[in-house]
Amino acid sequence: MSPFQLTRTLAENAAGAALRADVRHGLTRTPKELPPKWFYDARGSELFEEITRLPEYYPTRAEREIIVARASQVAAATGARTLVELGSGSSEKTRHLIDALLPDLAAYVPVDVSRSALEGAGRALLAERPGLLVHALVADFTGGLTLPDTPGPRLVAFLGGTIGNLPPAERREFLRAIRGMLAPGDALLLGTDLVKDEATLVAAYDDAAGVTAAFNKNVLAVIDRELGADARPEDFDHVALWDREHEWIEMRLRARHALTVKIPELNLVVPFGAGEELRTEISAKFRQDGVRAELAAAGLTLAHWWTDEAGRFALSLATAD
């Protein structure tokens, strides 16, 4: 058996169909919105990697700090022989988990919508860690997932605070779906950004260098390229706001003046009033009691809770009831 396998469960044209559906639905509703997954074309991924290195953007550093400090405890608590990572990207932070789980780890299953990211990360891991089986899945993990037949127990990792991009109802469905993938003895490792002062939170999504603004506006470039639209980034301002009631950050694009965006592929003309906003992302922040309750509602038990030294970010290890 080859040490690197790649399975595509996402149809070649699925992304295009999903983009068309999301744009039609999101830009014809009130208020307008788009899901954040459309940030991440090649340019968007580059911009996000740049964001993770900015002084204002603490989550990546904080989560890495926890993983480095606690990876051996995760390994001891789970005894995992298969590590499944949802939204794996470059698998950079995961290397610490893999090393802690070796030599017992038999397989790493990275899941991402980007085939190129999976191939690059998977082959790099194999070059550094011969003997590891990497079975990559090109899939949208929010749309249901069938895992390959690999040895248990399994540890499913969902890192980066990405779960905060899902509204509460979608989070509930997602966590229930994760629970459905777990057998007795399996576990979930979940990364969550924590509630903190507003200034720190807003700065993380509105950096002084303007990288996050460029990242936010990149969704317009995706629509222009893929759907023939004529949206102009210079017609919109980047906005990042803290919603105290829901305890999440919202990223929006605000029209600088009245305008229309034509989208020929959808035979659609979208009017924007001056100052009208398009929501492009929510990023929920969490508290320990809330995470525990959401896990419990999905049939998962919070077994371990670790934070970085400054208490900015948390990793939760949860087991199936």
Side-chain angles (χ1 to χ4, degrees):
M1 180 182 294
S2 168
F4 180 79
Q5 300 175 51
L6 188 141
T7 301
R8 175 182 286 277
T9 64
L10 195 66
E12 292 285 352
N13 61 351
L19 175 62
R20 290 191 292 274
D22 285 345
V23 170
R24 182 180 295 280
H25 172 73
L27 296 189
T28 57
R29 71 186 301 276
T30 302
K32 296 179 173 68
E33 66 177 4
L34 288 172
K37 63 184 177 182
W38 302 117
F39 290 137
Y40 296 96
D41 64 350
R43 177 57 179 156
S45 297
E46 290 173 1
L47 286 167
F48 184 72
E49 287 299 315
E50 190 175 343
I51 287 169
T52 65
R53 297 189 291 270
L54 293 169
E56 297 97 331
Y57 195 79
Y58 61 86
T60 301
R61 292 188 298 276
E63 186 176 48
R64 185 184 295 110
E65 177 189 323
I66 305 168
I67 291 173
V68 170
R70 304 295 184 175
S72 60
Q73 292 173 251
V74 173
T78 63
R81 299 200 63 218
T82 294
L83 173 61
V84 179
E85 185 178 10
L86 306 179
S88 55
S90 66
S91 302
E92 188 271 328
K93 286 177 290 191
T94 323
R95 285 167 163 77
H96 300 288
L97 277 176
I98 290 172
D99 288 341
L101 291 165
L102 290 172
D104 296 328
L105 186 68
Y108 172 52
V109 183
V111 182
D112 204 280
V113 295
S114 171
R115 178 178 184 137
S116 61
L118 288 169
E119 288 186 330
R123 297 191 187 283
L125 281 168
L126 286 175
E128 300 162 3
R129 296 158 183 83
L132 180 67
L133 170 66
V134 176
H135 191 142
L137 295 182
V138 182
D140 180 355
F141 57 79
T142 64
L145 189 64
T146 300
L147 296 177
D149 185 17
T150 55
R154 288 170 168 165
L155 173 61
V156 176
F158 191 38
L159 304 175
T162 308
I163 194 167
N165 295 148
L166 302 176
E170 292 182 29
R171 284 206 304 270
R172 288 192 291 272
E173 292 179 10
F174 175 76
L175 288 171
R176 289 192 189 109
I178 295 297
R179 173 61 185 88
M181 293 194 298
L182 302 180
D186 292 348
L188 167 67
L189 187 66
L190 181 66
T192 50
D193 196 8
L194 301 180
V195 174
K196 56 187 66 66
D197 67 281
E198 181 175 346
T200 298
L201 287 165
V202 171
Y205 293 83
D206 193 11
D207 60 278
V211 182
T212 311
F215 175 70
N216 194 9
K217 293 181 182 185
N218 188 63
V219 73
L220 302 176
V222 171
I223 293 171
D224 287 355
R225 183 183 65 247
E226 299 298 328
L227 301 179
D230 62 355
R232 302 195 316 162
E234 59 269 27
D235 287 336
F236 293 85
D237 288 320
H238 164 69
V239 179
L241 299 171
W242 172 239
D243 183 324
R244 293 183 182 86
E245 178 184 356
H246 295 100
E247 294 192 323
W248 64 43
I249 287 282
E250 286 199 11
M251 290 210 313
R252 305 174 186 174
L253 293 172
R254 179 182 293 157
R256 292 179 175 173
H257 50 81
L259 59 95
T260 58
V261 173
K262 300 180 183 65
I263 310 176
E265 286 287 324
L266 301 180
N267 193 27
L268 189 64
V269 177
V270 181
F272 282 83
E276 186 177 357
E277 294 177 340
L278 162 65
R279 188 173 78 176
T280 53
E281 181 179 87
I282 66 166
S283 184
K285 309 306 171 186
F286 297 87
R287 303 176 189 269
Q288 184 175 0
D289 287 347
V291 173
R292 186 190 306 274
E294 291 197 30
L295 290 169
L300 296 162
T301 299
L302 180 62
H304 295 276
W305 171 271
W306 298 294
T307 69
D308 63 302
E309 188 173 347
R312 300 167 296 178
F313 198 94
L315 280 186
S316 303
L317 186 66
T319 55
D321 290 347

